[in-house]
Structures are given as C-alpha cells and as structure tokens.
Amino acid sequence: MYDVNEIRGDFPILSREVNGKPLVYLDNGASAQKPKVVIDAISRAYGEEYANVHRGLHYLSNLATEKYEGTRGIIAKFLGVKDEDEIVMNTGTTMGINTVAYGWAMPRMQAGDEIILSVMEHHANIVPWHFLRERQGVVIKWVDVDSTGYLDPQAVIDAITPNTKLIAITHLSNVLGTVVDVKTIVDAAHDKGVAVLVDGSQAAVHMPVNVDALGCDFYAITGHKLYGPSASGAIFMKKERMAEMEPFIGGGDMIREVHKDEITWNDPPMKFEAGTPGIVQQIGLGVALEYMMSLGMENIAAHEKKLRDYARTRLDGLNWLQVQGTTPDKAAIFSFTLDGAGHAHDISTILDKKGVAVRAGHHCAGPLMDHLGVTATCRASFGLYNTEEEVDVLVDALELAHDLFA
Amino acid sequence: MANAAFEEIVEDFEYLDDWEDRYRMVIELGKAMDPLPEALKVPATKVEGCASQVWLHPQIEDGVIQFEGESDAMIVNGLIAVLRKLYNGLPPTEVASIDARAELGRLGLNDHLSAQRSNGLRAMIERLQGFAKVSAS
C-alpha cells in the first residue's frame, strides 16, 4: 500500500511554509527533496564514520570505504546491472557524459564521424558533443520529435550512416516528459556497430530501469534527482567500452603506479574515479536508492501515473494554457505556457507567492526551445511525494496568474 | 527626494492591502506604458543580469533624465514603469542620490520580488545610475 501522506512524513522540508503558504514542491525535475534517512546518513557519516576512502588501513578509513563502496553495489542493483565494476561513481550525469566524451569518444572519433542526438536532449547531453564538433570536426545529427513530443525510434535508427559512431539519447525528456523507446534504438544501433549512451537522469527517478536488459553501452544517472545528495551520481559503462577508454580526469585513486617517466592506471571502475570522491554524497545516495527500492519503483511509477492523469485532466480544463508534450505514456512532467500574456518568469513569480515551486526558463534544453518556438516555459514536475491536492493548488495559482496577466 | 510622479503612485499603493493588488497595479502600469521602438532593442540597450529580457534607453533632454524601456516579462515591465516615475525628469546629479531600493520598499514591492527579479531590478538601477553618473560628469 502506497501511503503518500506517510511518505511525505519522511521528507522534513515538505512540512515547511513558503511565503506564508504550505510548500507545494513541483520542481523535482531540477532537484528532488531528501528523506530524513538520507539527511541522517549524511550526518552520521560525518559524525561517526568519516575518513578518506581507499587510503588508510585504519579503522575509520576501512569503515568509510566499506560504506562508500557499498553504494556501488546498491546502484548496480537499482539499475539492474549484474557486475558492479561497470558502475563508475561520480557527481552526476554531466560528469558521466563528459567522461564518455573525453575518455571514449574523443580518442576514437575523426572529422566527419557522426553523433546522433534527439532535439529534446538536456544540455548535459549536448554540450560535451559540441566540444567534439568544435575541436575535431565531429558532426552532430539532430532527430526531431513530433508535435506531441513523441520520438519515433525508427527516425533515430534511420539517421544512422556508416559514419555514425554514437547515439546519445535521453530515456525521459526533462521538458516534455516523453519516454523514449531506448531498447529498440539500442538493438538496431548494435546491429550496425553503433554505441548508445542513455541519459537516465530523469527516467531512473520515475520508472523501473533495467540497464542490462536495455543493453546500452552507457547509462548516466544523477543522485540529487534521485532523492540523494547534490553532487552524487554514477554512470554505467559496459566492460567492453571501459576497456576502450582513456582516463578522463587524472589524480589520486585512479592510478596504480606513478613514476617520473612512467604511469600505470588502476583497473576500472577506479580508473575513472580520480581524486577523493564525494564520499558522504555517495553514502547518502546509497541510502536514497535503498529508500526508493523499499517503496518499490513499480509503486512509485504507479503513483506518479495517477498524478499525471489527474494533472493532465485539470490542466486540460484550462483552455488558456498550452502544455508542451502530450504523449499518452509521458511522465508527470508538465511544461506549459499561458496564452497571449505572461512570461514564464511572471507565472512562476505568482505561483511562488502561492507556495508553489516550479521551474521557469529554458530547462537547459536550448534546441528543444527553438524547436517549440518558445524562449521559456514553466515546468511543474512531480515526484514520489506529490499529491492530487497539490495539483489543485497549482491550478488555483495558475488561475490567479491568468487573471493577473490576461 | 523622489519626484512627484513617484509620490503619486506611493499614495495609490497605500490603499492596497495585499500583494495581489500590488502586483496587479504594477502589471497595469507596465501595460499602460508605450512599448520601446523595435529599433531601440539592440545589444547596447539590453540589460544583462535579468531573468527575462530587458532593454533600457536613457537620454538627457533639457538637462533632465528621460528613459524608456521594455521587458518581455509583465512584472518586470511594470517595474520599468515604476522606475520611470522614480527617475524621469530628474537632473542626473540627483539620480545618484536616490536609494532606489528604499523607495521601492515604500511601495511594498521589495519583499515581493524574487531574488532573480531583484537582481534584475538591481541591474536596471545600476544601468540608470551609471548613465546618470556619466551624464553628470
């Protein structure tokens, strides 16, 4: 039984007020709030269990290492990955994709080689590829979504040419809520010898993900969206791909031996984890993922589906509001603009006065904004602790905004 | 001492109890303002540091400051209208001596402006004060 009110009790911040109104937190797409178990784990890690990891042989270092490394196994389980050595821990999807761009793509791609992206990618899955375009003449090929925000997997597959080296694609759009049929794309791409990187920043938060079943080469996640600490995260990298990779960031922990004229690398995944990592952040992420798994990803997805359907019905009732992204199986992420009047920042200012937190802006998705022909939208993105009552508060606040700006 | 046009809206605002009405009034002031001619929406008039797009075009006419402006956000556009009432018609030497945030506080607006918006407001005020300073020297 999924008792959302009980679950809300696990998140201390949800009981606070904002501008004299109960907080209605609908900016989960940007970052999610943290359950008390995560906050406590962070406090305990610093208060009782802290030392550097992988270094000392003293008691606390061993304890911290055990806790930190424990998260690697939890992430593997959470993502349906059998071999935890395929999990590289990092600060999140941006770091993960840059690791692939610098460590895998850069050394093996020549001028004229192609990377396929969808038009709805987040900047984290665009900008690293622009580096390759600018610096070594790699060609970025864009695949459009249709007017509902649907991405036809066949359109991605059709974009593959003999020069294609990589498809880098989101599993779930942070703006439109569109869920992408990654499996179909991976199967076809692999038939043609093309690797696939999946940006799982949003998908892993809202639905069960089984990376081994998807078969993709890289799958990146972001801890702070997964109810974990900021600057926590991981990327799954297939063993075969890891073997092809150069290290990206150099420093401690990622080396075996360093001499004046010679250096050897540590084995993966350590090879890709330079310097003292976010020890406490990763410990907190492990606890956050355990928390999500204890609720059950299927249950979380079912709860959010109900919220999505309710929000869709309520928002559809506002004939002066345009929702971008209307695929039937979308996630509970609603980007919208108001007819005629009201900049996204105007709307979010009024919503904020009513205690409703939404994102206003380009959502780090410039090409998609161009495609939609807007400069900015508001986005209400729901999470595992949101309620139908909060949808009602959102709608009331939107009606006030419409009244003010019309 | 702020100018008479501004004192007039301070008086108007005194009758407004809640934030909704204050916002409504700000938005109305913005709507009543003439839009900035498209030819003046150029990089030189664009104010960076605002969450929305803002253009300000200040001039000195007969020894006093006169500026126009526009934003694509309605609340910010209204704030531009308020700033025009605060500054327009003053000699540039007086512009620098006005504590703009304190004056806006008299409208009960300061507290109600989000950080990004306040930053935008600050950027607008700095642009106008900078212009006044250069014009006065």
Side-chain angles (χ1 to χ4, degrees):
Chain A
M1 178 60 193
Y2 194 92
D3 184 344
V4 71
N5 287 319
E6 195 184 316
I7 288 166
R8 289 180 70 79
D10 295 338
F11 291 80
I13 206 169
L14 296 182
S15 58
R16 70 159 290 169
E17 291 191 343
V18 165
N19 289 324
K21 302 274 191 286
L23 169 65
V24 174
Y25 189 76
L26 302 179
D27 196 17
N28 297 286
S31 202
Q33 299 299 347
K34 319 306 172 197
K36 190 161 184 301
V37 283
V38 170
I39 299 166
D40 288 348
I42 292 168
S43 175
R44 191 170 56 246
Y46 279 126
E48 298 167 32
E49 301 161 348
Y50 188 78
N52 210 331
V53 292
H54 304 143
R55 305 289 203 286
L57 288 172
H58 58 80
Y59 178 84
L60 280 180
S61 180
N62 285 334
L63 180 62
T65 302
E66 199 179 301
K67 293 264 176 186
Y68 170 78
E69 282 298 328
T71 292
R72 199 183 303 277
I74 296 168
I75 295 167
K77 185 175 158 204
F78 178 75
L79 290 177
V81 172
K82 265 182 222 78
D83 184 354
E84 70 172 57
D85 285 346
E86 293 184 316
I87 302 294
V88 169
M89 297 201 278
N90 58 24
T91 56
T93 292
T94 297
M95 180 59 95
I97 296 178
N98 274 279
T99 301
V100 177
Y102 280 87
W104 185 80
M106 256 183 203
R108 53 198 299 113
M109 291 184 77
Q110 324 280 328
D113 283 348
E114 295 168 0
I115 297 175
I116 297 172
L117 305 180
S118 89
V119 75
M120 63 182 167
E121 297 311 313
H122 185 281
H123 290 167
N125 194 26
I126 296 175
V127 180
W129 312 123
H130 266 306
F131 288 168
L132 273 77
R133 183 190 59 77
E134 282 201 326
R135 296 172 194 180
Q136 45 200 96
V138 166
V139 177
I140 299 176
K141 290 182 77 176
W142 298 93
V143 180
D144 279 347
V145 294
D146 73 11
S147 60
T148 68
Y150 173 70
L151 179 73
D152 183 357
Q154 194 56 46
V156 178
I157 295 162
D158 290 345
I160 297 173
T161 75
N163 292 328
T164 305
K165 292 286 185 292
L166 179 72
I167 296 169
I169 199 135
T170 186
H171 199 178
L172 199 169
S173 162
N174 70 311
V175 179
L176 304 172
T178 306
V179 178
V180 176
D181 178 2
V182 169
K183 173 78 177 144
T184 299
I185 294 169
V186 170
D187 288 348
H190 284 178
D191 280 348
K192 300 180 182 186
V194 175
V196 180
L197 176 144
V198 181
D199 174 353
S201 250
Q202 298 289 338
V205 183
H206 302 293
M207 61 198 221
V209 170
N210 190 312
V211 169
D212 281 352
L214 287 176
C216 58
D217 298 273
F218 308 98
Y219 196 97
I221 58 169
T222 296
H224 70 83
K225 296 186 200 290
L226 290 158
Y227 308 96
S230 50
S232 64
I235 183 165
F236 157 84
M237 305 199 293
K238 226 179 217 174
K239 267 237 162 86
E240 301 92 295
R241 297 292 86 71
M242 279 188 173
E244 295 166 350
M245 286 174 71
E246 300 292 333
F248 163 36
I249 293 181
D253 238 21
M254 51 78 75
I255 45 83
R256 179 163 296 135
E257 285 182 47
V258 182
H259 303 285
K260 281 183 180 162
D261 301 312
E262 196 192 351
I263 188 161
T264 51
W265 313 127
N266 206 334
D267 292 328
M270 302 301 300
K271 182 178 170 182
F272 305 103
E273 295 179 6
T276 294
I279 300 165
V280 176
Q281 288 91 325
Q282 293 301 129
I283 291 172
L285 174 59
V287 174
L289 298 181
E290 294 272 31
Y291 176 80
M292 291 180 82
M293 288 188 281
S294 75
L295 295 178
M297 286 310 296
E298 294 284 356
N299 299 330
I300 292 170
H303 171 72
E304 292 184 10
K305 245 178 210 154
K306 268 171 58 188
L307 276 178
R308 174 202 65 196
D309 291 342
Y310 185 70
R312 180 147 52 196
T313 307
R314 292 292 331 258
L315 294 174
D316 279 352
L318 308 175
N319 58 13
W320 34 263
L321 181 131
Q322 264 65 51
V323 172
Q324 287 89 31
T326 53
T327 53
D329 64 341
K330 68 179 277 178
I333 295 174
F334 293 88
S335 292
F336 54 82
T337 46
L338 260 59
D339 262 3
H343 189 283
H345 295 124
D346 285 328
I347 300 162
S348 70
T349 300
I350 300 304
L351 297 190
D352 183 52
K353 294 294 298 172
K354 290 289 189 183
V356 182
V358 297
R359 171 90 186 262
H362 54 55
H363 314 295
C364 297
L368 179 62
M369 294 292 113
D370 293 344
H371 181 77
L372 296 170
V374 295
T375 53
T377 72
C378 276
R379 178 188 67 188
S381 50
F382 294 80
L384 61 82
Y385 40 59
N386 290 120
T387 64
E388 294 188 359
E389 291 73 29
E390 290 181 308
V391 175
D392 294 335
V393 176
L394 168 69
V395 169
D396 287 349
L398 284 169
E399 278 171 340
L400 172 63
H402 177 245
D403 178 47
L404 282 172
F405 297 123
Chain B
M1 181 60 197
N3 69 40
F6 185 76
E7 293 303 329
E8 230 170 75
I9 58 167
V10 170
E11 250 176 63
D12 291 342
F13 270 71
E14 276 169 7
Y15 294 101
L16 306 175
D17 297 328
D18 63 10
W19 68 268
E20 286 182 32
D21 289 338
R22 289 172 196 277
Y23 268 81
R24 213 179 284 275
M25 180 74 97
V26 169
I27 292 161
E28 288 307 321
L29 288 169
K31 280 183 182 169
M33 188 170 66
D34 286 336
L36 193 67
E38 284 301 315
L40 290 176
K41 292 182 189 172
V42 292
T45 60
K46 188 145 184 200
V47 181
E48 301 299 335
C50 302
S52 51
Q53 299 202 80
V54 175
W55 298 269
L56 293 182
H57 181 246
Q59 288 176 297
I60 300 292
E61 287 175 13
D62 302 327
V64 296
I65 192 164
Q66 293 293 348
F67 84 89
E68 303 170 283
E70 191 181 329
S71 169
D72 60 347
M74 295 174 95
I75 295 172
V76 176
N77 208 42
L79 291 173
I80 293 170
V82 170
L83 288 178
R84 289 181 69 183
K85 292 190 187 294
L86 183 63
Y87 288 126
N88 276 359
L90 296 181
T93 45
E94 273 186 42
V95 167
S97 64
I98 291 180
D99 182 347
R101 291 183 72 83
E103 294 295 333
L104 290 172
R106 295 170 65 203
L107 299 177
L109 286 176
N110 244 351
D111 299 345
H112 299 303
L113 300 169
S114 70
Q116 276 184 333
R117 239 170 245 290
S118 288
N119 289 340
L121 187 62
R122 190 173 304 138
M124 288 196 284
I125 291 166
E126 276 170 9
R127 171 69 68 97
L128 292 167
Q129 286 179 337
F131 173 80
K133 206 170 165 189
V134 169
S135 305
S137 61

